[in-house]
Amino acid sequence: MSEPADVVLPESVTLADGEGGLPLLRVRAPGGVAEVYLHGGQVTAWTPAGQAPVIWMSRRSLFEPGRAIRGGVPICFPWFGPGRNGEMSPAHGFARVADWKLHGARQDGDAVVVTLRLTDGDVVGLPGAELWPYRFEARYTITVGAELGLELSVRNTGAEAVTFEEALHTYLGVSDVREVQVDGLDGATYADKTSGGAVVRQEGP
């Protein structure tokens, strides 16, 4: 697959056909390597140099246009889950099934910075786009190196105020999930999906 005519890629970044023929960016920086699908703007692999892979991917993932990739780092936008009113579809919005455009790529020391772009014009006809018919420009900056940096910024390009939700829904690979502990959430409240969405308070780690 050839790169877009207006984007010059460094030698550390190649654009190829990935699973299902979907466009795939392979990034090789001195500090680490990664794979990014333009479909969904989705990071599906990141491995720091000399370390084990960090990102988890489902073996059941379908790499098809219009279908969300399972695992990796899905982008949730412009709503999370079914949205605040509980009626939005598809789950987590249309950004993760949209085809993002490669905006740029550059070497930055031991890291490589890739920028993707998505606008309201890119999502016309996608499921759910009619539920959030606003003008926008989203930019996703992915920094691949010894650390993985992910930054999603959204700009309102229309005349009316809009409300949206966004999340980078990261799946991490672990050797034994029974040994995993998340600190810093003691006392936090959350909606427990396993209990029908009941709001509960976290006690302890």
Side-chain angles (χ1 to χ4, degrees), residues 84-167:
R84 294 183 180 182
N85 63 8
E87 299 176 354
M88 305 299 274
S89 180
H92 300 316
F94 47 70
R96 66 181 190 149
V97 295
D99 292 326
W100 290 64
K101 300 291 194 302
L102 176 58
H103 187 70
R106 60 182 173 84
Q107 193 82 30
D108 185 12
D110 286 343
V112 173
V113 180
V114 174
T115 305
L116 306 182
R117 182 173 178 265
L118 186 73
T119 71
D120 50 284
D122 300 320
V123 303
V124 173
L126 288 180
E130 75 284 357
L131 300 177
W132 201 80
Y134 304 108
R135 297 188 60 194
F136 72 92
E137 178 191 46
R139 293 202 182 201
Y140 191 32
T141 303
I142 304 164
T143 303
V144 177
E147 295 183 352
L148 179 65
L150 304 174
E151 179 182 345
L152 177 63
S153 62
V154 178
R155 183 168 66 95
N156 180 0
T157 58
E160 59 183 307
V162 298
T163 300
F164 63 88
E165 300 170 310
E166 63 179 55

Side-chain angles (χ1 to χ4, degrees), residues 182-190 201-205:
V182 179
D183 294 316
L185 298 179
D186 186 26
T189 56
Y190 63 95
R201 180 183 175 91
Q202 175 66 29
E203 302 293 343

